[in-house]
Amino acid sequence: MRQRRFLPSIKLLTAVDAVVRHRSVTAAALELDLTQSTVSRLILTLEAQLGKELFTRERRRLIPTPAALRYQQDIARALDTVQRATMSVMTNPHGGTLALAVLPTFATRWLGPRLGEFLTAHPGVAVNMSTRIGRVQFADEAFDAAIYFGAGDWEGVGQMKLLEETVTACVSPEFAAAHDLDSIDALAQLPKLHLESRPTAWEDWFAGQGGTAKDSSGMVVDQFSMMIQAAISGLGVALLPDYLAKIEIEEGRLRPVLRQSIRVRGAYWLAWPLVKEEDAALAALREWLSQICAGPTP
């Protein structure tokens, strides 16, 4: 049985969460659509319920205590869980719901266009997607599964390989007209665009072309969408996964350089917490992904 004295109201919890995040009663009030005096009163009410001060008062500022900082982290996770559960009931009251964390560009350019097929085949399942660049913490975030790029070395989770990565070097038509791109030696002298999560990609690409990377200078970005835009703007040579390069090449925004579809280290993986192993909705997603990833290269 849950004891109510240890369960402050949502209104109190959202108030302290907002104030700690913003370090400002004014900003918290704007976010919550409340007056500043109401937010201050909610903080005082929660402190009285806890029997602890969560903030020190310096002039007109509220400074969160170490206890408040720890408390806010736990509150934020709990509020996220409640929000996702509520969305699940509202959007799909009779079926399973999957909360899926996906790499941003993979979500919009690969998974998103195909997801309708899965939802049509499984009308009782709803999928809620959030984008994440790094690995999620399943213990702290309310996700049922995640798609990530790596070597398949994520310990303590279930996982399934989806796709190997093959890449194609691409440049804008204007860049191609202004530079010599006929050999790997010529390309090695040009500015190259790098992705933070693929530190060995250019090394693998040059090896796949039968050469060696001699100069790795160039811009570093954290998402492929930024790399594509940088290449279109003529800032350098982009190394794109084929599922992205194909679109940009077909639509004339970029042109391929030298041999295409070079295999590089790493792959796309579906991972899930072991406690979700038998989840019916997740099992359906795994089966569908295994089917579409086993066919011709998407």
Side-chain angles (χ1 to χ4, degrees), residues 157-237:
V157 301
Q159 54 187 335
M160 178 180 78
K161 182 185 283 188
L162 301 179
L163 299 168
E164 303 281 359
E165 180 132 282
T166 56
V167 299
T168 295
C170 298
V171 298
S172 69
E174 295 77 14
F175 191 96
H179 297 86
D180 176 10
L181 301 171
D182 292 335
S183 69
I184 56 174
D185 288 337
L187 189 139
Q189 308 304 315
L190 299 176
K192 289 171 281 296
L193 304 175
H194 302 261
L195 195 73
E196 283 183 358
S197 60
R198 310 288 201 279
T200 63
W202 274 111
E203 178 184 342
D204 293 343
W205 183 87
F206 273 99
Q209 299 286 352
T212 303
K214 300 176 182 178
D215 180 8
S216 296
S217 62
M219 180 186 297
V220 179
V221 298
D222 66 357
Q223 295 187 39
F224 278 122
S225 57
M226 297 172 64
M227 180 181 288
I228 290 170
Q229 190 55 54
I232 291 173
S233 300
L235 300 182
V237 187

Side-chain angles (χ1 to χ4, degrees), residues 44-261:
L44 290 172
T45 300
L46 181 58
E47 288 180 324
Q49 183 173 340
L50 298 175
K52 301 282 186 182
E53 285 194 352
L54 296 174
F55 300 88
T56 57
R57 276 73 177 173
E58 294 184 4
R59 298 178 183 176
R60 302 184 65 178
R61 299 177 59 214
L62 293 181
I63 309 299
T65 65
L69 294 174
R70 293 192 301 270
Y71 192 38
Q72 185 272 335
Q73 291 178 345
D74 292 336
I75 288 171
R77 287 193 290 267
L79 291 174
D80 286 345
T81 299
V82 172
Q83 178 173 284
R84 292 179 189 277
T86 302
M87 290 174 59
S88 174
V89 171
M90 293 175 66
T91 59
N92 194 29
H94 304 298
T97 299
L98 281 173
L100 189 61
V102 192
L103 297 162
T105 312
F106 191 85
T108 57
R109 303 292 286 271
W110 191 92
L111 182 60
R114 294 167 171 79
L115 196 57
E117 176 187 330
F118 172 76
L119 297 175
T120 299
H122 301 87
V125 177
V127 176
N128 299 324
M129 283 199 298
S130 298
T131 57
R132 294 290 189 278
I133 294 177
R135 297 183 184 182
V136 303
Q137 298 295 323
F138 286 123
D140 298 330
E141 299 183 80
F143 287 112
D144 299 305
I147 293 178
Y148 77 102
F149 182 87
D153 54 357
W154 192 345
E155 297 183 355
V157 301
Q159 54 187 335
M160 178 180 78
K161 182 185 283 188
L162 301 179
L163 299 168
E164 303 281 359
E165 180 132 282
T166 56
V167 299
T168 295
C170 298
V171 298
S172 69
E174 295 77 14
F175 191 96
H179 297 86
D180 176 10
L181 301 171
D182 292 335
S183 69
I184 56 174
D185 288 337
L187 189 139
Q189 308 304 315
L190 299 176
K192 289 171 281 296
L193 304 175
H194 302 261
L195 195 73
E196 283 183 358
S197 60
R198 310 288 201 279
T200 63
W202 274 111
E203 178 184 342
D204 293 343
W205 183 87
F206 273 99
Q209 299 286 352
T212 303
K214 300 176 182 178
D215 180 8
S216 296
S217 62
M219 180 186 297
V220 179
V221 298
D222 66 357
Q223 295 187 39
F224 278 122
S225 57
M226 297 172 64
M227 180 181 288
I228 290 170
Q229 190 55 54
I232 291 173
S233 300
L235 300 182
V237 187
L239 202 54
L240 299 176
D242 284 345
Y243 72 88
L244 295 176
K246 180 180 179 182
I247 297 171
E248 302 302 325
I249 293 169
E250 288 179 349
E251 296 185 1
R253 289 186 290 268
L254 295 175
R255 293 182 181 178
V257 177
L258 300 180
R259 189 160 64 87
Q260 301 181 44
S261 301

